[in-house]
Amino acid sequence: MTVTCVVGLQWGDEAKGKIVDLLGHDHDFVVRYNGGANAGHTVVRDGKTYKLSLLPIGILTSHMRAVIANGVVVHPVRFLEEVKKLHEGGIAIDGGNLVLSDHAHVIFPYHVEEEGLGDEGSAKAIGTTGRGIGPCYQDKVGRITSVRVGELLHPEHFRERLRMIVPRKNLLLRAFSANARQFDADALCDEYLGYAQQMAPFIQDTTRLLHQALKAGKRILLEAAQGSLLDVDHGTYPFVTSSNTSTTGVWSGSGIPARNLSKVYGVIKAYSTRVGRGPFPTELDDGPSGIGERIRRVGKEYGTVTGRPRRCGWFDAVAVRHTATLADADSLALMLLDVLSGLEELKICTAYELNGQRIDYFPGDAFLLEKCRPVYESMPGWNADLTKARKLIDLPMEARRYVDRLSAIVGRPMSFISVGPDREQTIVC
Ligand code: GDP
Ligand code: IMO
Ligand code: MG
C-alpha cells in the first residue's frame, strides 16, 4: 500500500508544491486534508509558474485524481476561480479529476468580515491571511452555525439553515463594531445556490472514495498545507493556523486510517521563514543591508496569498527536530539551498537558552519560545552558483557539509535537495 505524505516542517512555504509535483508520477490520487485558500503552493515546469491556493497543486499532474477532503474549509468563490484559472490555462477540470468532500465546511463572507474586525486582541494579533479560515473552523467545532458543502445541494434545508445562522452572525458582527457589514440570509442563500449549481459535479463523499481507492490498491499522495509549526495543537500556539497541519491532520482530515500512512517526506528550507506574527528565535531582523533582507530578496520571500514580506532567519534545528519527530518523517527534502550562495558564514540553531538554562527541546508555549535565545553553531558558506547542480558531486564541499550537518542534527536522511524553483533543479539523493 502506498500512502505518502508531503508535509512542511517549518512555518509554511517550504516548497511543498515542488515535492508534490516531483512525486506525482508515482501516485494515482492527490489529497488536500487541511486548511483552505490560506495556502499558496507553487510549481515551476519548463520556466512556467503555476500557483494554487485551495486546489491541490497535484492536480497539474494529468493522471492524478485530486481530492479536497473533509478537513478543508472551502470558499466557493475561490474554488470556482481556481477551476476557471486552470481551464483557461488549458487544463481540463471536471468531476472526474477533481472531487470535493460533501463534509468539508463552507466559508461565507461573514467569516471573512468577522476575521477583519476587532483590535489587537483579535485575528490581527496573529497576522492571519484574512481568508475566513479561523472563523469557519470555529463554527465547525461549535456545530451550531456551521454549513457543510453537502448541505448546499439541498436548497430548502440550506435556506432554513442560513435563516437561523445569519441573524446570529449579524448580531455578533454588530457587537464587534457599529459599522460592521450586515448580511441578508435570502440574498446570501441565492448567491451560494448559484455557486452550488456549478460545484455540484465535483461534490461527493471523499472518505468513501478514498477507502475504495485504498482497497483497489491505488497510490495516494497527501499534500499538507501550511507547516507543522503552524499546527493548532503542536505548533507555536496561539500563533498558528486553525487546523492540524502536520501528519496529525491526515486521519481526521481525509478519513485515511492512521496505520495506512507508508511514507512521510518532511520538507524544509535551508533557512527559516515565517509570515504573520509569533515567536521566531532565529529571525534575522538586521536591517535593509542585513542577511535577513538578502535572503528575502534572493529567495523572493514574499507571501503567495497576501504578498506580505516573509520574515527570514537561520535554520532552526530545534524546531525541525520537534516537527520531524511529530511526523516521524522518513526523510527530508531540503529546499532553496541555492539562496544561501554567497554568504561567508552560515549559522544553525542547535539549542536554545531559556532563563539562563540551555535546552534542546522545543517549548510548547509561544510565550516561552519568545524568551528563547538561539545557540548557534557556524559553518563556512560557499560562493558558487548552485542552480545548475544536478548531482551531489556538483555541490561545493561547503554546501555538502551544510546539507550533511542539517541531516545529522535533525536525525533524518535527505531524499531531495532543491537548487532552484524548476522541477529540473533537483538533486535526488
Ligand atoms: P509551499 O507553500 O510550501 O508549496 O511553498 P511556496 O510555493 O509558497 O513557496 C516556495 C517558493 O520557492 C515558490 O515560489 C517556489 O517556486 C520556490 N522554490 C521552490 N524550490 C526552490 C529552490 O530550490 N530554490 C529557489 N530559489 N526557489 C525555490
Ligand atoms: P502554505 O501551504 C505560510 C499563516 C498566516 C498566519 C497564520 C494564521 O503555502 O505553506 P490563517 O489565515 O491560516 O488563520 O493565518 O498562518 N499561514 C501561512 N504561512 N504558509 C502558509 O501556507 C500559510 N497559511 C497560513 O500567515 O501567520
Ligand atoms: Mg506557500
Side-chain angles (χ1 to χ4, degrees), residues 42 50 71 145 163 171 196 228 250 269 344 349 372 412 429:
T42 316
Y50 303 85
T145 50
R163 282 182 178 164
L171 272 176
S228 301
V250 170
K269 280 180 181 173
E344 214 169 287
C349 170
C372 286
R412 314 268 157 178
C429 305

Side-chain angles (χ1 to χ4, degrees), residues 13-18 40-42 44 51 304 310 335-336 338-339 418-421:
D13 303 324
E14 300 91 347
K16 299 174 288 295
K18 174 168 170 174
H41 297 179
T42 316
V44 183
K51 283 182 192 293
T304 318
R310 294 176 184 149
M335 315 304 285
L336 296 107
D338 54 299
V339 173
S418 177
V419 292

Side-chain angles (χ1 to χ4, degrees), residues 1-280:
M1 185 175 303
T2 301
V3 180
T4 310
C5 186
V6 172
V7 67
L9 298 185
Q10 292 160 313
W11 281 285
D13 303 324
E14 300 91 347
K16 299 174 288 295
K18 174 168 170 174
I19 296 301
V20 166
D21 189 48
L22 287 171
L23 295 174
H25 65 279
D26 275 343
H27 294 85
D28 307 300
F29 282 78
V30 60
V31 183
R32 271 281 306 265
Y33 62 86
N34 77 297
N38 48 350
H41 297 179
T42 316
V43 160
V44 183
R45 286 176 176 177
D46 304 323
K48 199 165 173 218
T49 302
Y50 303 85
K51 283 182 192 293
L52 287 174
S53 204
L54 176 60
L55 270 47
I57 197 91
I59 198 166
L60 298 172
T61 304
S62 54
H63 72 268
M64 272 210 289
R65 253 184 123 179
V67 176
I68 299 180
N70 60 285
V72 175
V73 285
V74 178
H75 196 306
V77 180
R78 304 261 176 225
F79 176 87
L80 294 169
E81 266 173 15
E82 293 201 356
V83 168
K84 186 164 168 246
K85 189 166 96 175
L86 289 173
H87 267 298
E88 287 168 359
I91 298 163
I93 304 293
D94 56 29
N97 62 353
L98 175 64
V99 282
L100 168 60
S101 169
D102 54 358
H103 288 190
H105 279 253
V106 182
I107 298 182
F108 288 90
Y110 49 73
H111 288 130
V112 179
E113 187 74 11
E114 187 180 332
E115 192 174 7
L117 289 174
D119 52 16
E120 285 295 303
S122 67
K124 281 199 185 97
I126 297 170
T128 67
T129 58
R131 293 284 174 99
I133 305 293
C136 184
Y137 276 118
Q138 256 171 266
D139 279 348
K140 171 178 172 170
V141 293
R143 296 155 300 161
I144 312 297
T145 50
S146 51
V147 175
R148 304 208 289 189
V149 167
E151 293 180 85
L152 299 176
L153 302 179
H154 300 277
E156 278 177 28
H157 160 84
F158 176 51
R159 194 173 296 275
E160 223 174 87
R161 294 281 299 147
L162 279 191
R163 282 182 178 164
M164 182 278 286
I165 294 168
V166 170
R168 288 173 182 236
K169 290 291 172 186
N170 283 339
L171 272 176
L172 178 82
L173 294 172
R174 269 280 151 78
F176 271 124
S177 157
N179 304 322
R181 209 176 139 195
Q182 297 284 281
F183 295 89
D184 179 87
D186 283 308
L188 201 54
C189 180
D190 293 342
E191 181 189 336
Y192 269 58
L193 287 178
Y195 304 142
Q197 234 175 20
Q198 299 173 67
M199 290 160 72
F202 301 98
I203 300 171
Q204 60 170 288
D205 178 347
T206 57
T207 305
R208 194 142 48 92
L209 175 75
L210 291 170
H211 288 170
Q212 284 163 354
L214 286 170
K215 209 169 161 195
K218 300 288 182 200
R219 300 156 305 170
I220 298 174
L221 181 59
L222 294 147
E223 178 178 333
Q226 290 85 51
S228 301
L229 295 171
L230 291 172
D231 187 287
V232 67
D233 285 295
H234 302 284
T236 51
Y237 190 86
F239 298 95
V240 292
T241 189
S242 302
S243 65
N244 285 115
T245 59
S246 181
T247 47
T248 51
V250 170
W251 1 116
S252 59
S254 73
I256 293 174
R259 66 165 74 221
N260 288 172
L261 190 56
S262 46
K263 181 131 186 126
V264 178
Y265 290 94
V267 189
I268 51 175
K269 280 180 181 173
Y271 46 92
S272 307
T273 63
R274 166 161 214 169
V275 213
R277 300 223 197 141
F280 182 0

